[in-house]
């Protein structure tokens, strides 16, 4: 690993060396499903499969889906990821602490997939800084993405079109997904944007052990797929999930020129590939829409084919190498604090030139109820 280290009075700084991408591929083991959660209309953690959705058919080609249908009765999202931090993830960890501590010992990192994706995409340049808060507790580092000032301003000042585009994404899922296998979707009921289903994964990235949560859009149903077991038995549900495959859904404005196609490959499909590879998803179903909110075309992308489709736009090895590079640096930064019994928090900021600074910060990503109970 090659980098140049600098220091100021209060911060440490490291500069990413572009030659790092030439290093050997850091192997990502196949992600293993180790848990699950549903989130209800009130954004409460529920340890069951009640929010699991099913994709009964993989379609490609022309279609006509009106994403404005009943959109006015949708129950809007009441929280955002920045306010929730990693609270729901921590509830899963706390609920199954004995199982996790026994089966998955000596974890290096616990986080959400979205934080890992942000780092992977940064390997190819970013237009604004990336901020990640890290907290060392009992030998494991917990990571949480934090909005910078520009991101906060942009979220709070979203215009009507941006809000509408987000609502269209939820409505697209309702058109495509059902509550049980071989059951038709119900597009008449209100979309409840607070609800979601997540899986939790264990994997290794070279020498690092990772546990992370990932919101999952759909289980890929076949004719032989049995119904959601609707059980409270953890092992029954876990075996059911491990015996199936899963998929991601996205909407995108219809591509009309070469520049739009290049941007679709360079940015959106890069992020989608990261989503798929980290959750061992079979693929991605994209609904291409017009400006009026009508999906006119569906296209399926196998995860293994996305890289070839995006050839010369980005390199998957570089993404994984950079993730390993960043996580290794974060882990090394905590070495002076390893013997402390209380949680220690550092905030890492990566600028547009891939320069990383960090400084001590508050420990708000790990609430007292977690550190005193776990």
């Amino acid at each position: 690993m090659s980098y140049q280290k600098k220091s100021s009075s209060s911060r440490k700084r490291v500069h990413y060396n572009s030659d790092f991408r030439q290093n050997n591929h850091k192997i990502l083991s196949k992600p293993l499903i180790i848990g699950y959660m549903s989130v209800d209309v009130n954004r409460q953690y529920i340890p069951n499969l009640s929010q699991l959705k099913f994709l009964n058919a993989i379609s490609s080609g022309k279609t006509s889906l009106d994403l404005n249908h009943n959109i006015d009765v949708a129950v809007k999202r009441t929280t955002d990821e920045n306010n929730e931090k990693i609270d729901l993830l921590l509830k899963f960890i706390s609920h199954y602490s004995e199982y996790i501590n026994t089966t998955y010992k000596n974890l290096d990192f616990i986080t959400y997939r979205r934080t890992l994706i942000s780092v992977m995409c940064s390997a190819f340049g970013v237009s604004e800084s990336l901020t990640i808060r890290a907290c060392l507790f009992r030998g494991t580092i917990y990571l949480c993405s934090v909005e910078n000032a520009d991101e906060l301003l942009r979220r709070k000042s979203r215009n009507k079109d941006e809000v509408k585009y987000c609502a269209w994404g939820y409505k697209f899922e309702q058109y495509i997904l059902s509550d049980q296998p071989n059951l038709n979707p119900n597009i008449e009921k209100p979309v409840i944007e607070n609800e979601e289903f997540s899986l939790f994964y264990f994997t290794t990235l070279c020498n690092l052990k990772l546990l992370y949560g990932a919101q999952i859009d759909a289980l890929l149903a076949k004719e032989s797929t049995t119904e959601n077991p609707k059980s409270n038995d953890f092992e029954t549900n876990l075996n059911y999930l491990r015996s199936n495959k899963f998929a991601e859904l996205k909407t995108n404005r219809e591509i009309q020129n070469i520049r739009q196609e290049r941007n679709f490959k360079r940015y959106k499909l890069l992020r989608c590939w990261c989503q798929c590879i980290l959750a061992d998803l079979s693929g991605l179903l994209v609904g291409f829409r017009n400006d009026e909110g009508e999906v006119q075309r569906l296209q399926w992308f196998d995860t293994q084919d996305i890289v070839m489709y995006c050839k010369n736009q980005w390199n998957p090895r570089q993404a994984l190498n950079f993730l390993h590079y960043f996580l290794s640096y974060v882990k090394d930064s905590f070495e002076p604090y390893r013997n402390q019994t209380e949680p220690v928090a550092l905030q890492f900021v990566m600028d547009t030139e891939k320069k990383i600074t960090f400084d001590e910060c508050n420990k708000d990503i790990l609430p007292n109820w977690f550190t005193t109970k776990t």
Side-chain angles (χ1 to χ4, degrees), residues 148-258:
N148 59 39
D150 291 338
E151 290 171 327
L152 179 60
L153 178 62
R154 188 164 55 248
R155 177 169 61 83
K156 290 185 176 295
S157 59
R158 288 193 305 173
N159 59 42
K160 291 183 179 180
D161 283 344
E162 290 172 321
V163 173
K164 180 173 61 177
Y165 298 154
C166 183
W168 283 348
Y170 286 109
K171 190 64 183 183
F172 176 64
E173 293 179 10
Q174 190 185 57
Y175 263 102
I176 300 297
L177 306 179
S178 65
D179 292 333
Q180 289 292 347
N182 304 311
L183 186 70
N184 290 329
N186 181 357
I187 65 169
E188 301 304 326
K189 65 181 181 180
V191 172
I192 302 177
E193 296 181 1
N194 273 345
E195 295 178 341
E196 66 180 56
F197 180 76
S198 291
L199 292 175
F200 296 94
Y201 295 87
F202 170 79
T203 190
T204 57
L205 181 64
C206 194
N207 59 321
L208 301 175
K209 296 179 180 179
L210 314 179
L211 187 158
Y212 50 90
Q215 183 178 345
I216 299 298
D217 289 338
L219 184 153
L220 281 175
K222 302 174 291 186
E223 288 187 7
S224 58
T225 301
T226 58
E227 288 191 355
N228 177 338
K230 298 180 181 178
S231 170
N232 290 323
D233 182 72
F234 179 75
E235 289 297 331
T236 297
N237 290 335
L238 192 61
N239 290 334
Y240 176 79
L241 295 168
R242 286 178 175 177
S243 66
N244 285 286
K245 297 293 184 180
F246 299 85
E248 182 76 16
L249 272 67
K250 295 291 182 185
T251 57
N252 196 79
R253 189 174 183 272
E254 185 60 84
I255 297 172
Q256 297 174 323
N257 56 54
I258 294 176

Side-chain angles (χ1 to χ4, degrees), residues 292-327:
E292 286 69 49
E294 180 189 7
V295 172
Q296 298 176 315
R297 179 169 67 92
L298 299 174
Q299 185 171 355
W300 172 261
F301 297 86
D302 278 323
T303 299
Q304 61 187 6
D305 295 334
I306 292 177
V307 173
M308 183 59 65
Y309 180 72
C310 298
K311 188 177 180 180
N312 301 324
Q313 297 298 327
W314 44 268
N315 186 320
R317 291 187 178 185
Q318 186 176 344
L320 289 171
N321 280 349
F322 189 69
L323 177 60
H324 182 268
Y325 164 83
F326 179 82
L327 294 180

Side-chain angles (χ1 to χ4, degrees), residues 261-285:
E261 182 179 22
R262 182 176 64 248
N263 289 340
F264 176 67
K265 292 179 178 180
R266 182 176 296 176
Y267 302 112
K268 189 149 195 172
L269 283 187
L270 166 61
R271 191 169 187 85
C272 289
W273 176 81
C274 293
Q275 287 180 295
C276 291
I277 203 72
L278 289 174
D280 192 32
L281 305 182
S282 294
L284 165 74
L285 182 64

